[in-house]
Amino acid sequence: MFEFRLRVELWEMEKRRMGWEDRPGYHYYGLCTVGGMISAGTTHLAITPLDVLKVHMQVNPIKYNSISSCITTLLREQGPSAFWRGWAGKLYGYGVQGGFRFGLYEYLKGFYSNLLRDSNRSFIYFVSSASAEVLANLALCPFEAIKVRVQTQPHFAKGLLDGFPKLYVTEGFSGFYRGLIPLWGRNLPFCMIMFSTFEHSVDLIYRRAVQRRKEDCSKLQQLGVTCLAGYAAGSVGSLVSNPADILVASLYNERTKSIKQAIKNIGFVNLFTRSLPIRVMLIGPVVTMQWLLYDTIKVLSGLPTSGEVRADSTAHKN
């Protein structure tokens, strides 16, 4: 009995030393996970038509050489329903990814903050978001494999229910993860830049523009800051991740069998420019809505909005 009590006291001392006693409970991280699933899944579902245009322009730029030609061609050849192909992959796939992305990021940010006490905040944001996104993309990858095929190959499948077994029969388990590396290449830098930009934007807006503590602002004002920071985060992230996004679409459409061949076929310059305008148009508002819904769920649950606001004396460490 004495040995047990001694171990408990030692564990409590270790938690105080590491700063774990002040960390939020698991109910907080669970709420962040649910909020991430709802916000990411619903926003990606809403922009399915734009995603269909983007994917077609990426995999067949000669036939779909502009947004207007892509719209008219799809309407003429496949009808209005073509713009909602792949909706289930968007809702469920990106919902699962959003749960991992936001929930794990919140948890790992606290974990790495205590583990790497002398590191600057930018490094903490980068390593936390990258760690969360690695797992998030493992969950997303099978859904993305079906979604791209359903959108670009009308006769492949109608959706997830018939798409999953058909892909497994034709390509095996590896078919679901053939685009994992370029998916990581797209989403890891995007996620790292997105979270870091959001955190720094929130801090900058409160300290330089609002010039009031977050706690002194109304919930509506806090959500307004979330929208501004979210749009900045989405726009910057889309510029960084565009090349890998094109590679993902090309590989999953089966026009190329390897990353090297895909880059050769597409062209180095086209990796950065093809479908970029529509992707910026797509990602900026989507990320803004994700952060708005995510923080609205937190506010309605009695939690503060996202983003750290640091004192001026610590700002130079970033």
Side-chain angles (χ1 to χ4, degrees):
M1 184 66 180
F2 174 77
E3 183 180 355
F4 174 76
R5 290 179 59 186
L6 179 60
R7 288 182 178 179
V8 171
E9 291 178 1
L10 290 174
W11 171 241
E12 293 296 330
M13 291 173 60
E14 181 66 13
K15 286 199 297 182
R16 287 194 294 271
R17 185 183 72 82
M18 295 295 293
W20 291 350
E21 60 180 0
D22 297 326
R23 293 179 64 187
Y26 288 104
H27 67 281
Y28 169 78
Y29 300 121
L31 181 64
C32 292
T33 300
V34 172
M37 292 179 68
I38 295 173
S39 62
T42 54
T43 51
H44 276 280
L45 173 64
I47 51 88
T48 298
L50 288 176
D51 185 64
V52 170
L53 294 177
K54 183 204 69 169
V55 172
H56 277 82
M57 292 175 68
Q58 288 175 336
V59 300
N60 198 341
I62 297 177
K63 182 177 182 180
Y64 307 105
N65 55 19
S66 68
I67 296 176
S68 59
S69 67
C70 189
I71 293 174
T72 55
T73 303
L74 287 176
L75 282 174
R76 183 177 63 254
E77 295 182 353
Q78 302 181 34
S81 62
F83 294 97
W84 289 99
R85 295 186 66 87
W87 69 267
K90 298 286 286 182
L91 175 63
Y92 298 111
Y94 284 89
V96 172
Q97 184 206 35
F100 277 100
R101 173 182 285 178
F102 285 93
L104 278 177
Y105 172 75
E106 295 281 4
Y107 175 79
L108 292 172
K109 184 171 67 170
F111 174 79
Y112 286 124
S113 294
N114 289 308
L115 185 65
L116 308 170
R117 291 178 176 271
D118 296 329
S119 299
N120 63 42
R121 298 309 297 168
S122 294
F123 180 76
I124 296 297
Y125 302 148
F126 283 148
V127 71
S128 301
S129 56
S131 300
E133 194 66 11
V134 167
L135 296 178
N137 280 250
L138 287 173
L140 168 65
C141 204
F143 294 93
E144 186 77 357
I146 303 299
K147 178 190 76 73
V148 173
R149 286 173 171 83
V150 167
Q151 289 177 338
T152 59
Q153 302 172 27
H155 303 293
F156 174 78
K158 294 181 179 180
L160 296 179
L161 291 180
D162 56 338
F164 274 120
K166 184 171 183 179
L167 182 60
Y168 181 77
V169 169
T170 56
E171 298 187 35
F173 184 77
S174 62
F176 295 105
Y177 288 94
R178 195 173 73 180
L180 180 60
I181 300 302
L183 194 64
W184 274 335
R186 179 187 77 183
N187 289 344
L188 278 173
F190 171 81
C191 190
M192 293 167 68
I193 294 297
M194 189 266 287
F195 275 106
S196 180
T197 301
F198 179 84
E199 295 276 7
H200 286 303
S201 296
V202 168
D203 179 54
L204 182 67
I205 292 171
Y206 277 112
R207 289 194 298 110
R208 301 303 183 193
V210 179
Q211 296 184 346
R212 295 166 61 190
R213 296 191 311 163
K214 180 192 289 190
E215 296 79 7
D216 296 332
C217 297
S218 67
K219 296 301 182 183
L220 188 60
Q221 290 172 326
Q222 292 181 33
L223 291 175
V225 173
T226 293
C227 288
L228 291 174
Y231 189 81
S235 299
V236 175
S238 63
L239 294 173
V240 174
S241 58
N242 193 61
D245 186 57
I246 295 175
L247 289 176
V248 169
S250 180
L251 286 170
Y252 276 141
N253 194 48
E254 295 187 328
R255 292 184 178 277
T256 52
K257 299 297 183 181
S258 67
I259 297 176
K260 183 178 180 179
Q261 182 185 347
I263 295 175
K264 182 178 179 180
N265 292 346
I266 296 168
F268 184 76
V269 175
N270 288 334
L271 281 175
F272 294 89
T273 59
R274 181 181 296 178
S275 73
L276 181 60
I278 192 172
R279 189 156 193 269
V280 172
M281 187 196 320
L282 188 72
I283 299 300
V286 166
V287 173
T288 303
M289 289 304 300
Q290 280 186 20
W291 279 109
L292 177 59
L293 287 175
Y294 178 67
D295 271 359
T296 299
I297 293 171
K298 292 175 72 173
V299 167
L300 292 176
S301 303
L303 297 173
T305 55
S306 303
E308 296 180 352
V309 182
R310 296 170 299 284
D312 289 329
S313 59
T314 62
H316 67 280
K317 294 181 181 180
N318 299 291

